[in-house]
């Protein structure tokens, strides 16, 4: 390469710029038609879990994601703050679990990374299935003060989902951090949604590194 071509090549390289995509995750359009009107007051844990399970089921039927739903509620007003559904496949982001979506939307709405920062709010997270290792780690940092779950960890594992490495006494660890935990709310219905997802032949989207027969598995 002569000197002139070398200078031209070097100049072209210096003009190149990274072109990173924007990280944007939005709820499917159908979600708004499923939830009650703004300001609706929820009367019980059952009613709240029914909404979350409806989100999980329709997420399957609408083809927008996995069999998981979640929602953040304000315990003071008993109103919905933000819903969430699993969007892993559609967003192409392994972190787009229903709990993470609901927490992220709630934090955006209150304009704070800490849902416990406002004295006017006391937030609880409802999840159709107990949190995986990732979501479990996010809960204490989010400002959530109460967690209510439907299906158990082993229910998700039984149908093929990898929930990650979690402490056996994870619920006790959350309680030690001042986070109330309630389990098995409409568990049978929640398990039915997991099984329906599998019966329909939908994708179980664990990382290939954890797949049977993969190197190191």
């Amino acid at each position: 390469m002569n000197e002139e071509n070398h200078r031209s090549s070097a100049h072209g390289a210096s003009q190149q710029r990274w072109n990173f995509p924007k990280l944007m995750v939005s709820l499917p359009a159908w979600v708004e038609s499923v939830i009650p009107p703004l300001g609706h007051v929820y009367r019980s844990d059952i009613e709240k879990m029914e909404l979350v399970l409806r989100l999980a089921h329709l997420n399957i039927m609408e083809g927008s994601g996995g069999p998981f739903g979640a929602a953040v509620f304000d315990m003071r007003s008993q109103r919905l703050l933000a819903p969430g559904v699993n969007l892993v496949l559609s967003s192409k982001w392994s972190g787009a679990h229903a709990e993470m979506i609901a927490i992220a939307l709630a934090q955006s709405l209150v304009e704070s990374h800490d849902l416990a920062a406002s004295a006017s709010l006391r937030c609880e997270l409802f999840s159709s299935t107990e949190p995986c290792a990732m979501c479990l780690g996010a809960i204490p940092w989010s400002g959530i003060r109460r967690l209510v779950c439907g299906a158990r960890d082993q229910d998700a594992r039984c149908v093929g989902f990898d929930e990650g490495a979690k402490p056996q006494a994870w619920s006790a660890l959350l309680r030690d951090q001042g986070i109330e935990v309630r389990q098995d709310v409409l568990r049978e219905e929640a398990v039915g949604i997991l099984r329906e997802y599998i019966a329909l032949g939908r994708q179980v989207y664990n990382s290939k590194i954890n797949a049977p027969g993969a190197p190191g598995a």
Side-chain angles (χ1 to χ4, degrees):
M1 179 182 293
N2 60 38
E3 185 176 349
E4 182 177 347
N5 287 339
H6 177 76
R7 285 199 303 268
S8 176
S9 176
H11 177 73
S14 68
Q15 297 302 307
Q16 294 178 1
R17 296 289 185 272
W18 288 105
N19 185 25
F20 295 114
K22 292 182 179 179
L23 179 58
M24 298 178 66
V25 180
S26 300
L27 288 173
W30 59 261
V31 169
E32 190 172 351
S33 66
V34 171
I35 58 178
L38 187 66
H40 175 77
V41 176
Y42 291 79
R43 303 298 180 184
S44 66
D45 284 355
I46 295 295
E47 185 183 6
K48 294 171 185 174
M49 185 59 75
E50 285 174 341
L51 170 64
V52 164
L53 295 185
R54 192 155 61 246
L55 290 168
H57 184 253
L58 284 173
N59 206 39
I60 302 173
M61 296 297 101
E62 296 289 341
S64 44
F68 304 101
V72 174
F73 297 89
D74 174 27
M75 289 187 280
R76 299 193 191 282
S77 67
Q78 295 299 319
R79 293 174 177 172
L80 174 68
L81 193 57
V85 292
N86 181 285
L87 299 172
V88 168
L89 295 177
S90 60
S91 69
K92 299 177 176 59
W93 173 38
S94 60
H97 289 198
E99 300 97 319
M100 303 294 283
I101 298 298
I103 288 171
L105 286 174
Q107 290 172 335
S108 294
L109 285 166
V110 304
E111 298 183 330
S112 174
H113 67 282
D114 184 2
L115 293 172
S118 172
S120 64
L121 289 175
R122 186 170 176 81
C123 294
E124 59 186 350
L125 174 66
F126 277 64
S127 180
S128 62
T129 301
E130 290 177 350
C132 69
M134 174 184 67
C135 297
L136 176 63
I139 288 169
W141 292 338
S142 69
I144 291 291
R145 307 315 305 159
R146 182 173 186 250
L147 172 65
V148 181
C149 308
R152 291 257 179 165
D153 175 282
Q154 60 263 37
D155 299 327
R157 293 181 192 270
C158 280
V159 299
F161 284 99
D162 178 9
E163 298 297 280
K166 292 166 55 179
Q168 187 172 358
W170 64 267
S171 58
L173 293 175
L174 288 184
R175 291 185 182 103
D176 288 344
Q177 296 179 78
I179 301 170
E180 180 187 345
V181 178
R182 183 181 179 189
Q183 297 164 285
D184 298 336
V185 176
L186 299 182
R187 180 182 180 184
E188 185 177 344
E189 292 85 342
V191 172
I193 292 170
L194 296 174
R195 291 174 177 167
E196 182 177 11
Y197 184 81
I198 300 303
L200 289 170
R202 302 297 172 82
Q203 181 179 351
V204 176
Y205 40 80
N206 298 326
S207 170
K208 297 302 182 191
I209 198 171
N210 295 324

